[in-house]
Structure formats: structure tokens, C-alpha cells
Amino acid sequence: MSDSRLPVWPRNAWNWGAVWRRNFLAWKRLAFASMVGSLADPMMYLFGLGLGLGAMVGRVDGTSYIAFLAGGMVASSAMLTASFETIYASFSRMHVQRNWDAILHTRLTLGDVVLGEVVWAGSKALLSGTAIMLVSAVMGYSAWPAMLFSLPIIAITGLAFAALAMIVVAVSPSYDYFVFYQTLVLTPMLFFCGGVFPIARLPHGFRQVADLLPLTHAVALIRPLMLGRVPDEGWWHAGSLCVYALCAFLLSTALLRRRLMR
């Protein structure tokens, strides 16, 4: 395939929708099982830690521990859903099923394909994060309707982590390498970015590292909105997530171009 057939940039503002629609049509046949799988871990954390550990912890930052935990679980659900959809499903479509090869013989560019995959993973992240948020609201742990303002943040979080996971897809030779990303990147972020306990309780050095990670920005926005509060430095956190999403998208597309040109 010649270099001209793999431009980094999307051809236009809507071509990616064809990739999104293709993935949606394939997913909807297994939608129920997919949703259950996406929600299982965050819901177990929410009720297992929230009800069990919450009975010993009491109140955190002026609210019950399970209400505090709910915001972190919504953010982490968006992170995990977007990441797993990308590193497993997108990798399979590219490397195993060779769907990308067929798509790239149409008028779509590599940029269109990657953007469609990222937006699709972000859409699934929005769906799973919203589901957990609604469960939290029904149980009385989230403020209605203030929590609805967190929906755009959940979507941006999904886009950011999908784009970051696409970098992993671009450099991984096989599925076996994804375990390193899960255990060395995603799991530490879950516990050190404020999802389970306040960042203020961490040692100073850990706090400095946590402040640079994307999940920290997501939690800093989603949690207060779910509790009916105004986030501190909201524009800074939202801008940081957008920068992560854009830079990771550009880097992943460039790396994928180099990989597919081999």
C-alpha cells in the first residue's frame, strides 16, 4: 500500500461515522452481555468497598464514603471501558480480522478509521459511565439534576483513554502485551488518582505524579458534579483531558501508519 493511501489526517469531518456505525451494528447483537461485562467491576467496587469499607471509614470530604466513591467509579468505568474496547476489539479488527485493510481500500483514510474507533470506544465509555451514575442516583448517592453536567466529561474521558489505548494497539505485537498496560498503567491510576480515596492522603511525591495523570482530571470534574458542587479549576481539568485526547490521537495515528506500512 503506497504512502498516499495512509494519510494521518481524517479526510473530512464525517467519514469516521461509517466506522462508528459498522462497530455499532456489530455490537448491538451482543449489547446486553457487553454492558454487563463493562459494569461488573465498577459496580462491585462501588457496593463492595462503598458499603463494606464505608461502614468503617465514615464520611470523606463532607459526604458518605459510598457517595464519594461513586464519582470515582463513574470515571474509572469510562477509563476501563474505553481502554478495553480499544486494546481488544480495535486490535482484533486491525490485526486479526483485518477489517481495517478492507476499509482502507475505500475512500476512508487511516485517520478516519482511527477517529471512528476512538469515538466508538468513547461512546461505549459514556454508556457505561452513565449507567453507573444512574444507579448511584437511584440509590441516593448523586445529586439530580446537577450530575447531568458530568455527561460531557464522561465522554471526553472515554475519548482520552481510547486514544491512549490506541497507542498501545499501535506498538503491541499481540494480545499478550496488553496485560502490561492493564496492570502497570490502568490499575495504578484507579487507586492513585482519587477514584478510591482522596489524593490528599497520598505522600507528596505520589500526589505530584497523580496530578499529571488523566484519570485525576476526570475524577476532579465528575465527582463534584455528581455531588452537586462546582469543580475547582474546572477549565484546567477539562482542557487537560482534551489535550490528552488530541495528542494521543495524533501520536497513535502516526504509529499505526508506520506499522501498517511495514
Side-chain angles (χ1 to χ4, degrees):
M1 189 176 294
S2 64
D3 288 359
S4 61
R5 294 298 305 278
L6 286 175
V8 171
W9 292 103
R11 189 181 297 277
N12 53 47
W14 55 82
N15 273 1
W16 61 267
V19 178
W20 187 97
R21 184 173 181 274
R22 181 265 169 211
N23 292 343
F24 170 75
L25 292 175
W27 168 81
K28 72 176 185 178
R29 294 176 296 176
L30 302 171
F32 179 76
S34 176
M35 283 299 300
V36 171
S38 298
L39 295 175
D41 277 353
M43 294 300 291
M44 285 191 291
Y45 276 114
L46 177 61
F47 291 108
L49 290 177
L51 297 176
L53 187 59
M56 297 184 290
V57 172
R59 300 182 69 81
V60 178
D61 289 349
T63 188
S64 65
Y65 179 67
I66 190 169
F68 171 88
L69 185 64
M73 291 302 99
V74 169
S76 65
S77 175
M79 173 185 74
L80 295 174
T81 300
S83 298
F84 290 167
E85 173 65 22
T86 304
I87 61 177
Y88 289 107
S90 295
F91 182 82
S92 178
R93 288 189 283 268
M94 176 197 70
H95 184 68
V96 180
Q97 300 173 9
R98 299 290 183 179
N99 291 335
W100 287 22
D101 288 351
I103 294 173
L104 290 172
H105 282 86
T106 68
R107 297 185 63 184
L108 273 66
T109 67
L110 178 61
D112 294 324
V113 176
V114 176
L115 182 57
E117 293 282 359
V118 167
V119 176
W120 168 245
S123 300
K124 288 192 67 177
L126 175 61
L127 188 61
S128 64
T130 301
I132 294 176
M133 184 176 65
L134 291 176
V135 171
S136 175
V138 170
M139 300 294 292
Y141 303 131
S142 300
W144 177 272
M147 68 179 192
L148 297 179
F149 289 104
S150 66
L151 292 176
I153 306 304
I154 298 172
I156 296 172
T157 301
L159 293 175
F161 278 101
L164 289 167
M166 195 62 75
I167 297 175
V168 181
V169 168
V171 299
S172 297
S174 68
Y175 293 104
D176 298 331
Y177 289 80
F178 296 148
V179 68
F180 298 111
Y181 184 63
Q182 293 174 230
T183 57
L184 300 179
V185 177
L186 298 180
T187 300
M189 273 200 277
L190 172 63
F191 289 103
F192 291 105
C193 289
V196 178
F197 52 82
I199 292 180
R201 304 294 178 88
L202 292 172
H204 179 68
F206 284 91
R207 289 202 305 270
Q208 288 183 315
V209 174
D211 287 340
L212 300 175
L213 300 176
L215 187 62
T216 300
H217 299 293
V219 172
L221 290 168
I222 293 172
R223 175 175 287 136
L225 289 171
M226 288 181 60
L227 295 175
R229 305 170 184 171
V230 178
D232 296 329
E233 300 180 327
W235 288 109
W236 160 250
H237 294 301
S240 298
L241 286 174
C242 290
V243 169
Y244 265 108
L246 178 60
C247 292
F249 168 74
L250 295 176
L251 177 58
S252 65
T253 309
L255 291 172
L256 285 165
R257 182 178 187 273
R258 186 176 67 177
R259 174 174 183 153
L260 295 177
M261 288 303 303
R262 292 174 183 170

